Amino acid sequence: MIDQRKLPQEETYVKCRSYECVAEAIEKMVIRGAPAIGVAAAFGLALGFQNLKTAEKCDEAFSKIFLRLSETRPTARNLFWALERMKQVFEENRHLSFSNLKKRLVDEAAAIEHEDIEANRKIGFHGKDLIADGDSILTHCNAGALATAGFGTALGVIRAAVQEGKKIKVYVDETRPFLQGARLTCWELEKEKIPTVLITDNMAGHLMQKGEITLVITGADRIAGNGDTANKIGTYPLSVLANEHSLQFYVAAPFSTVDLSLSEGAQIPIEERDPDEVRTIRDLCLTLPEVEVRNPAFDVTPARLISAIITEKGIARPAFEDSLAQLASERMSEKEG
Amino acid sequence: MIDQRKLPQEETYVKCRSYECVAEAIEKMVIRGAPAIGVAAAFGLALGFQNLKTAEKCDEAFSKIFLRLSETRPTARNLFWALERMKQVFEENRHLSFSNLKKRLVDEAAAIEHEDIEANRKIGFHGKDLIADGDSILTHCNAGALATAGFGTALGVIRAAVQEGKKIKVYVDETRPFLQGARLTCWELEKEKIPTVLITDNMAGHLMQKGEITLVITGADRIAGNGDTANKIGTYPLSVLANEHSLQFYVAAPFSTVDLSLSEGAQIPIEERDPDEVRTIRDLCLTLPEVEVRNPAFDVTPARLISAIITEKGIARPAFEDSLAQLASERMSEKEG
């Protein structure tokens, strides 16, 4: 996997030969983005099982690998969704020979990866109609190809609209502390020559006030049954500002991000990360080395501030309890040719 | 003057022997903070005049120095206020001998400095009653001793409340792109052992949602007659968030920040600074070196989102047209012993 911590300055790859390596890559954000974490965890589980020498106690071994990977990061729904799906496949195919079971798990991880790319393309297909020619779109963090198996969620919608010939400008929040916007989203957009303007996270309000931003679209890490959405820290303030300026605020995510077991966003666990991510950038100390820091990695945008949730199954509108439940009961939309 | 760009890692001083050096120090933010800029510009003007060899054409020379200093930064009211005051003193004392006129200008700059410290102490005196024991206060940028001649405006209020024995915790926005919060405010607060928590600018919404912030207090760079307030970029979003969470949002500033010649904030010129301030931190490039950037240094908080404006003359409450005009007609409050 590409080492996202080093982009855009270096394009280097990390090769994982153990599930522990995958777990650490997720923890340290070598790979990040809810859908990408899900795919990585699925492959990590397949890899860990692949590395087992003997079928003896392989149930225990599977559980141990499952547990290790599930403890890497708490917020993204897709991590747990992908691991649970792998577990179900494991249990359903327990009767297979050891080598066939190994192969079955690798195939399932590959299917999760393939389906995620498909889902992103359908998210783009559904979402592009919400974008008008001439829009100036604000996005936060990176909800692009790097955050997924490919194409992207929020950036997938933008890509699909651009592919249709719409002229779009994208304002990119740098997204402190990890700078996913400055480092990853700018890198993706510039590669495709989509007009990009980088801003610091505190500039969106001013640009909305000046009429320079016409809508907001972000990804999601977990969506509760009522539509409350956890996403990268700083998303919630953007939803409040969008509301203040009567701008549409869209969330784009595969349905694997939706967690119908949670009735509301307050139940979503919010990861608190290492204070040094705030105090330093690379080895540069930005402040006093010992100052106390808070570093919540996500916040929750209440459903009432979300205009629509764009999924591969279609677009959910308020009331989300109903629209998400309705989409959950449907197969993936067949609309795209 | 202390080189604020190098804090908190280095405490080095810049000695200016020419007005051009002072002008560049203001432009490059060696010194920043509206009141501090005003004091520096006044001394720069006195210094430039002091350096004149001959009284011949000294009116022209004065105008040239005045113009150079007035073109350093466009937003802070105090810069123009201080220069205008110096100009008035110059014109009123034009009859003095050349050396006495020089001395008179130095004395006036010193008076501006002295009065600013006094004003800050009175701001603290008036403002401290707005702070309750146990408050968790969010502040943005640096409105402390470094931003003024001493004591500070927003931090002056906090200092005065702490001196009264109130237990207070201060959340400090790091304040991208220049990191005045991370570098300067943390440094000031830690020196006085006031409990300090550093956050990135996009975390305030989450902490308000969790009830961890109880009020917001910032400084100001220019206040229009109706109370609309220009302050460091990122202030306006905080006012929207404070309103969303029913928190008090206070502005603390000397009355020299108030510009009664402007009826509303839309008339305040907003400085757009070098894009490399966003792209890089020191020599570290955070993004693609050629990416387009917006870098407005200030935004305008509308009066309707401001609970009170704390000045040395007293506290202005809405409607600010009336309360600011009322305070303008008063001499400095005599209340403090």
Side-chain angles (χ1 to χ4, degrees), chain A residues 7-9 140 169 171 174-177 179 181-183 186-187 190 196-210 212 233-237 240-241 243-245 266 270 272 278-279 281-302 304-305, chain B residues 7-9 140 169 171 174-177 179 181-183 186-187 190 196-210 212 233-237 240-241 243-245 266 270 272 278-279 281-302 304-305:
Chain A
L7 286 173
Q9 278 75 23
H140 189 67
K169 181 195 261 189
Y171 285 94
E174 65 174 3
T175 318
R176 282 279 293 146
L179 295 167
R183 298 189 301 102
C186 287
W187 183 75
E190 294 268 309
T196 302
V197 181
L198 175 65
I199 58 174
T200 61
D201 298 315
N202 55 23
M203 291 175 184
H206 175 70
L207 295 174
M208 288 183 189
Q209 217 176 27
K210 295 283 171 194
E212 297 186 39
I233 189 77
T235 302
Y236 166 58
V240 174
L241 286 167
N243 184 53
E244 178 81 9
H245 294 277
I270 300 295
E272 185 97 18
V278 172
R279 293 188 196 116
I281 292 184
R282 285 180 229 163
D283 295 329
L284 193 63
C285 184
L286 308 177
T287 182
L288 302 167
E290 72 283 10
V291 68
E292 191 182 331
V293 159
R294 286 292 305 275
N295 187 15
F298 304 93
D299 58 24
V300 174
T301 297
R304 70 183 161 80
L305 298 176
Chain B
L7 287 173
Q9 278 75 23
H140 189 67
K169 182 196 262 190
Y171 284 94
E174 64 173 4
T175 318
R176 282 282 291 149
L179 296 167
R183 297 189 303 101
C186 286
W187 184 74
E190 294 268 309
T196 302
V197 181
L198 175 65
I199 59 173
T200 62
D201 298 315
N202 55 23
M203 290 175 187
H206 175 70
L207 295 175
M208 288 183 188
Q209 217 177 26
K210 295 282 170 193
E212 296 186 38
I233 189 76
T235 302
Y236 166 57
V240 174
L241 286 168
N243 184 55
E244 178 82 9
H245 293 276
I270 299 296
E272 185 97 19
V278 172
R279 292 189 197 115
I281 292 184
R282 286 179 229 161
D283 296 329
L284 192 63
C285 183
L286 308 178
T287 181
L288 302 168
E290 72 282 11
V291 69
E292 191 182 331
V293 159
R294 286 293 306 276
N295 188 14
F298 305 94
D299 58 25
V300 175
T301 298
R304 69 182 161 80
L305 297 176

Side-chain angles (χ1 to χ4, degrees), chain B residues 23-92:
Chain B
E24 285 177 18
I26 295 171
E27 281 169 348
K28 294 179 180 164
M29 296 173 72
V30 172
I31 191 163
R32 30 64 51 203
I37 288 173
V39 173
F43 273 113
L45 191 44
L47 175 64
F49 197 79
Q50 187 78 21
N51 285 344
L52 295 180
K53 298 280 183 290
T54 159
E56 209 186 321
K57 294 192 178 172
C58 81
D59 295 274
E60 267 174 56
F62 185 93
S63 296
K64 191 179 154 198
I65 302 165
F66 180 98
L67 187 67
R68 174 70 184 96
L69 288 163
S70 70
E71 287 177 347
T72 48
R73 299 194 67 192
T75 305
R77 168 63 183 156
N78 317 63
L79 173 72
F80 306 100
W81 170 86
L83 290 173
E84 286 295 342
R85 179 164 153 179
M86 293 293 285
K87 188 179 179 185
Q88 198 181 333
V89 166
F90 176 74
E91 285 165 359
E92 284 170 6

Side-chain angles (χ1 to χ4, degrees), chain A residues 28-47:
Chain A
K28 293 178 182 165
M29 295 173 73
V30 171
I31 191 163
R32 32 61 53 203
I37 289 173
V39 173
F43 273 113
L45 191 43
L47 175 64

Side-chain angles (χ1 to χ4, degrees), chain B residues 44-323:
Chain B
L45 191 44
L47 175 64
F49 197 79
Q50 187 78 21
N51 285 344
L52 295 180
K53 298 280 183 290
T54 159
E56 209 186 321
K57 294 192 178 172
C58 81
D59 295 274
E60 267 174 56
F62 185 93
S63 296
K64 191 179 154 198
I65 302 165
F66 180 98
L67 187 67
R68 174 70 184 96
L69 288 163
S70 70
E71 287 177 347
T72 48
R73 299 194 67 192
T75 305
R77 168 63 183 156
N78 317 63
L79 173 72
F80 306 100
W81 170 86
L83 290 173
E84 286 295 342
R85 179 164 153 179
M86 293 293 285
K87 188 179 179 185
Q88 198 181 333
V89 166
F90 176 74
E91 285 165 359
E92 284 170 6
N93 294 280
R94 194 64 194 80
H95 60 279
L96 295 179
S97 71
F98 189 47
S99 63
N100 279 343
L101 187 51
K102 284 181 171 179
K103 187 175 174 314
R104 184 67 190 82
L105 288 173
V106 172
D107 289 348
E108 191 64 19
I112 289 173
E113 180 184 27
H114 175 76
E115 288 169 26
D116 188 61
I117 299 175
E118 271 305 287
N120 287 343
R121 292 202 173 272
K122 297 213 177 201
I123 288 168
F125 173 77
H126 293 305
K128 67 181 171 14
D129 295 339
L130 301 176
I131 310 293
D133 191 41
D135 265 335
S136 289
I137 304 173
L138 176 67
T139 190
H140 189 67
C141 195
N142 172 266
L146 289 165
T148 62
F151 202 65
T153 53
L155 293 195
V157 172
I158 289 168
R159 282 191 167 98
V162 168
Q163 283 169 7
E164 232 188 11
K166 287 173 182 159
K167 291 213 186 326
I168 287 167
K169 182 196 262 190
V170 184
Y171 284 94
V172 178
D173 266 352
E174 64 173 4
T175 318
R176 282 282 291 149
F178 214 69
L179 296 167
Q180 292 93 335
R183 297 189 303 101
L184 309 178
T185 301
C186 286
W187 184 74
E188 283 198 35
L189 292 172
E190 294 268 309
K191 274 200 171 192
E192 307 207 7
K193 305 200 187 311
I194 298 172
T196 302
V197 181
L198 175 65
I199 59 173
T200 62
D201 298 315
N202 55 23
M203 290 175 187
H206 175 70
L207 295 175
M208 288 183 188
Q209 217 177 26
K210 295 282 170 193
E212 296 186 38
I213 289 169
T214 57
L215 67 85
V216 183
I217 183 165
T218 76
D221 286 83
R222 195 185 299 215
I223 300 170
N226 71 344
D228 290 353
T229 295
N231 191 47
K232 179 52 54 194
I233 189 76
T235 302
Y236 166 57
L238 297 181
S239 72
V240 174
L241 286 168
N243 184 55
E244 178 82 9
H245 293 276
S246 305
L247 302 180
Q248 301 291 305
F249 182 92
Y250 298 122
V251 170
F255 214 82
S256 54
T257 312
V258 178
D259 186 353
L260 293 174
S261 77
L262 303 184
S263 60
E264 54 172 43
Q267 299 164 318
I268 301 173
I270 299 296
E271 178 183 14
E272 185 97 19
R273 291 183 61 85
D274 183 347
D276 276 339
E277 289 183 357
V278 172
R279 292 189 197 115
T280 63
I281 292 184
R282 286 179 229 161
D283 296 329
L284 192 63
C285 183
L286 308 178
T287 181
L288 302 168
E290 72 282 11
V291 69
E292 191 182 331
V293 159
R294 286 293 306 276
N295 188 14
F298 305 94
D299 58 25
V300 175
T301 298
R304 69 182 161 80
L305 297 176
I306 299 172
S307 312
I309 299 173
I310 309 161
T311 79
E312 72 277 26
K313 295 181 170 202
I315 295 174
R317 295 271 186 185
F320 294 111
E321 287 91 341
D322 304 332
S323 56

Side-chain angles (χ1 to χ4, degrees), chain A residues 221-247:
Chain A
D221 287 82
R222 194 186 300 213
I223 301 170
N226 71 342
D228 289 353
T229 295
N231 191 45
K232 180 51 54 192
I233 189 77
T235 302
Y236 166 58
L238 298 180
S239 72
V240 174
L241 286 167
N243 184 53
E244 178 81 9
H245 294 277
S246 305
L247 302 179

